[in-house]
């Protein structure tokens, strides 16, 4: 493991009141002291006002320096945190001076990787930190914080302990194969195994919802030309993103924008109206619409007023993931006694109700989801592996009782769980986790 001093800007570059630069590694304090005179004498964990200078003494800035001595730091190494004025020039100059003083520019995620390797942070918590930073919607942040607090790890630790318990019970049978009655009857063993498999499967079943929470639900506005899709798209976003005209066929390409509904993350897509296009460009537009429809988590089928559904609309409306939206309600005097949610892009009527429907339909029943949820493909793959091994173990506990083979599968299931928790993280796993981190994290 590398322990050389690394440096990076921890805040995004650009105009801001403050910027934070971090230096971590063996000799971090000595290296930084070349830029921050007197740093070696600063008391640890105390914010001290300091001057930042280049090698020839040229002033860079005045700011706050805080020294964290190993192992009581984020990375577990000696770490210095410098707050300077924000913007482009000053932080860049400070980082350059620290590099000249002997620190290497950090690789993406290198600070967090060192924290994990030094046992300061679990792998699941490191992933959660990345998710928290990437969150654009409050519910995403809730789930990330939950994982950072260890909810998923505690659940996995408990499952892992139950696998070990089962293994222990089997050991007796393996060691004394001729005894008729072990410490527990075979039926009890099978029951414990079945309950465990059930619980692991239940956790695995949260994966689609969790991954949707991380990525945002794909919500596609579809319908006939001129149905009011683009107007509704703009109204939901609160911004004039898509062109609107009275001419049918205004939208030809799909337009995607991120937004939130009741705090849940949504990728909203406006599409070209569905019709039998004859012109080449129109046809291409309709093809794009169909591709998005194929991938949609939720379809908002826009229908002008109380008009009867026809042809393709009927088929779409019959799908479980479709919500019928009756548009332009301000133009239709009589209340429409028809299926669907009535909205008006002009008056804003019905928009909040529609947002609520999007949230519940795309993410299930609100608060249920914040139970520990599998948020990543890595979690899903590892847990699916554990389910497979547990199922195999179950077969060995049935009619053709084979305690030795069952124990082998249980051990493999336990290893999948450990891999997920990160107890035995290999370089491959670490590379995969930290590939998506940004520099300075
Ligand atoms: N009064 C009123 N007019 C609306 C409303 N929504 C849309 N319109 C009008 O209906 C016409 C078509 O609206 P668009 O939003 O462009 O419809 P579209 O479904 O995106 O149409 P295409 O992109 O051509 O498929 C425009 O003249 C809009 O001003 C509404 O809620 N109230
Ligand atoms: Mg349009």
């Amino acid at each position: 493991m590398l322990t050389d001093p690394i440096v990076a800007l921890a805040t995004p570059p650009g105009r801001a009141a403050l910027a934070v630069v971090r230096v971590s590694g063996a000799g971090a304090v000595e290296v930084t002291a070349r830029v921050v005179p007197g740093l070696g004498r600063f008391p640890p964990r105390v914010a001290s006002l300091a001057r930042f200078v280049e090698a020839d003494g040229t002033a860079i800035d005045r700011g706050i320096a805080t020294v964290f001595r190993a192992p009581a730091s984020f990375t577990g190494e000696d770490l210095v945190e410098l707050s300077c004025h924000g913007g482009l020039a000053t932080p860049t100059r400070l980082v350059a001076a620290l590099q000249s003083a002997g620190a290497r520019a950090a690789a993406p995620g290198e600070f967090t990787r060192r924290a994990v390797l030094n046992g300061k942070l679990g792998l699941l918590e490191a992933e959660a930190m990345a998710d928290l930073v990437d969150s654009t919607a409050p519910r995403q942040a809730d789930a990330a914080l939950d994982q950072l607090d260890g909810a998923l790890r505690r659940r996995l630790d408990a499952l892992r302990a139950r696998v070990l318990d089962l293994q222990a019970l089997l050991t007796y049978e393996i060691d004394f194969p001729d005894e008729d009655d072990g410490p527990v009857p075979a039926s009890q063993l099978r029951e414990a195994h079945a309950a465990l498999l059930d619980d692991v499967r239940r956790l695995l079943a949260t994966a689609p919802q969790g991954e949707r929470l991380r990525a945002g639900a794909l919500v596609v506005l579809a319908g006939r030309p001129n149905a009011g899709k683009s107007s509704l798209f703009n109204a939901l976003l609160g911004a004039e993103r898509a062109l609107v005209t009275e001419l049918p066929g205004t939208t030809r390409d799909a337009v995607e924008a991120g937004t939130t509904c009741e705090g849940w993350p949504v990728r909203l897509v406006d599409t070209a109206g569905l019709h039998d296009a004859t012109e080449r460009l129109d046809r291409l537009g309709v093809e794009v619409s169909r591709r998005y429809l194929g991938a949609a988590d939720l379809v908002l089928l826009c229908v002008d007023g109380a008009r009867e559904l026809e042809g393709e609309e009927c088929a779409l409306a019959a799908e479980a993931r479709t919500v019928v939206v009756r548009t332009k309600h301000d133009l239709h005097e009589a209340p429409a006694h028809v299926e669907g949610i009535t909205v008006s892009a002009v008056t804003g009527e019905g928009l909040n109700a529609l947002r609520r429907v999007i949230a519940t339909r795309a993410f299930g029943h609100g608060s249920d989801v914040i139970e520990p949820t599998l948020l990543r493909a890595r979690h899903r793959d590892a847990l699916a592996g554990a389910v497979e091994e547990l199922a195999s173990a179950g077969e060995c506990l049935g009619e053709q009782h084979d305690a030795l083979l069952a124990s082998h599968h249980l051990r493999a299931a336990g290893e999948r769980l450990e891999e997920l928790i990160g107890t035995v993280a290999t370089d491959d796993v670490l590379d995969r986790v930290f590939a998506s981190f940004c520099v300075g994290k």
Side-chain angles (χ1 to χ4, degrees):
M1 177 187 142
L2 290 174
T3 59
D4 60 326
I6 50 172
V7 61
L9 185 61
T11 44
R15 196 158 177 263
L18 293 177
V20 174
V21 174
R22 285 196 297 194
V23 187
S24 177
V29 177
E30 292 71 21
V31 163
T32 310
R34 294 180 193 137
V35 178
V36 186
L39 184 80
R41 292 187 307 276
F42 289 4
R45 312 181 74 82
V46 172
S48 312
L49 185 65
R51 280 187 318 118
F52 306 152
V53 296
E54 288 178 341
D56 62 3
T58 311
I60 300 172
D61 198 2
R62 239 160 47 115
I64 299 293
T66 315
V67 174
F68 299 87
R69 290 284 183 179
S73 74
F74 171 67
T75 54
E77 305 174 318
D78 276 353
L79 185 147
V80 185
E81 215 172 89
L82 303 178
S83 300
C84 64
H85 290 101
L88 288 172
T90 306
T92 310
R93 239 172 127 192
L94 183 56
V95 169
L98 288 160
Q99 281 180 262
S100 306
R104 165 172 67 79
E110 202 170 359
F111 289 89
T112 314
R113 190 180 184 129
R114 288 183 177 193
V116 169
L117 290 171
N118 285 324
K120 286 289 184 173
L121 202 66
L123 198 58
L124 289 166
E125 286 85 355
E127 286 173 327
M129 260 179 40
D131 287 345
L132 188 59
V133 171
D134 289 338
S135 293
T136 54
R139 295 291 90 74
Q140 275 175 327
D142 291 343
L145 205 57
D146 205 40
Q147 192 177 316
L148 190 58
D149 284 345
L152 180 58
R153 189 177 37 73
R154 281 192 294 276
R155 178 87 171 262
L156 291 168
D157 281 343
L159 293 172
R160 169 85 188 102
R162 284 164 68 187
V163 173
L164 284 175
D165 287 347
L166 269 179
Q167 270 181 286
L169 293 177
L170 275 173
T171 307
Y172 184 87
E173 273 196 60
I174 295 166
D175 292 347
F176 306 99
D178 298 329
E179 302 272 329
D180 276 348
D181 277 327
V184 286
S187 63
Q188 196 180 326
L189 211 79
R190 278 198 296 273
E191 268 169 37
H193 170 274
L196 173 61
L197 182 55
D198 219 43
D199 284 348
V200 178
R201 281 201 171 120
R202 199 164 310 142
L203 185 57
L204 181 59
T206 65
Q209 208 171 7
E211 286 171 42
R212 185 181 293 180
L213 178 58
R214 237 185 112 230
L218 191 67
V219 177
V220 176
L221 290 149
R224 301 274 293 270
N226 244 3
K229 301 179 293 299
S230 300
S231 305
L232 183 58
F233 178 74
N234 291 340
L236 285 172
L237 292 177
E240 301 301 310
R241 274 296 309 276
L243 288 178
V244 169
T245 72
E246 67 292 349
L247 304 169
T250 304
T251 307
R252 272 176 163 168
D253 215 346
V255 185
E256 186 175 326
T259 185
T260 57
C261 287
E262 306 262 299
W264 297 92
V266 166
R267 291 158 58 204
L268 198 62
V269 185
D270 182 26
T271 61
L274 297 168
H275 65 292
D276 289 325
T278 46
E279 243 190 84
R280 185 155 165 268
L281 258 181
D282 285 339
R283 226 177 33 240
L284 289 175
V286 173
E287 273 169 30
V288 171
S289 303
R290 287 192 206 290
R291 268 210 300 282
Y292 268 102
L293 276 177
D297 293 314
L298 191 70
V299 176
L300 304 182
L301 177 61
C302 299
V303 182
D304 192 338
R307 191 176 59 72
E308 292 251 346
L309 303 189
E310 293 168 12
E312 191 174 1
E313 289 174 318
C314 298
L316 256 181
E319 286 189 35
R321 59 186 182 134
T322 300
V323 175
V324 176
V325 182
R326 301 286 177 174
T327 58
K328 312 188 191 179
H329 195 51
D330 56 296
L331 293 182
H332 304 283
E333 297 264 313
H337 294 294
V338 284
E339 180 205 0
I341 297 171
T342 45
V343 300
S344 164
V346 170
T347 63
E349 182 197 336
L351 291 182
N352 279 337
L354 180 57
R355 284 196 187 95
R356 268 197 300 281
V357 169
I358 292 172
T360 35
R361 292 288 295 274
F363 290 99
H365 292 289
S367 58
D368 292 2
V369 78
I370 300 297
E371 249 214 77
T373 307
L374 300 185
L375 293 169
R376 291 167 175 253
R378 187 184 80 81
H379 304 170
R380 176 166 35 86
D381 293 349
L383 209 64
V387 164
E388 212 169 280
E389 295 293 349
L390 281 173
S392 301
E395 282 163 28
C396 304
L397 294 172
E399 297 284 292
Q400 321 270 283
H401 198 85
D402 185 339
L404 200 58
L405 196 55
S407 175
H408 165 80
H409 285 299
L410 285 177
R411 184 168 347 105
E415 282 166 6
R416 292 289 90 75
L417 292 176
E418 282 168 9
E419 177 192 315
L420 175 47
I421 297 166
T423 331
V424 285
T426 61
D427 271 352
D428 283 0
V429 173
L430 291 174
D431 285 346
R432 213 175 134 189
V433 168
F434 289 107
S436 62
F437 272 56
C438 58
V439 173
K441 206 142 68 183

